[in-house]
Amino acid sequence: MNTKVVERFPAGAPRGSWPAEEYAARLRAEGEPGATVVMDLSSDAFLVVVRERSKN
């Protein structure tokens, strides 16, 4: 499987705000089941990634 970064969000969002999680949830609701959030420690950012299925 390949993974593609579709959006980046700075880790310093206001308390109670989860923009990366909300964006990933919106993608899943639109039919992208592989959308998830990961932390990129080196850039201090949350990444919304989509896991692409390999074509067999």
Side-chain angles (χ1 to χ4, degrees), residues 1-55:
M1 268 198 281
N2 294 326
T3 303
K4 177 181 174 186
V5 176
V6 293
E7 192 65 61
R8 303 177 154 279
F9 294 89
R15 177 169 279 197
S17 174
W18 300 92
E21 291 289 348
E22 293 165 359
Y23 187 78
R26 191 167 45 246
L27 288 178
R28 288 189 298 271
E30 293 172 358
E32 186 57 66
T36 191
V37 177
V38 296
M39 179 71 185
D40 179 12
L41 294 174
S42 64
S43 67
D44 196 31
F46 290 106
L47 309 177
V48 177
V49 299
V50 174
R51 293 190 178 111
E52 300 172 338
R53 297 181 188 267
S54 60
K55 297 174 183 168

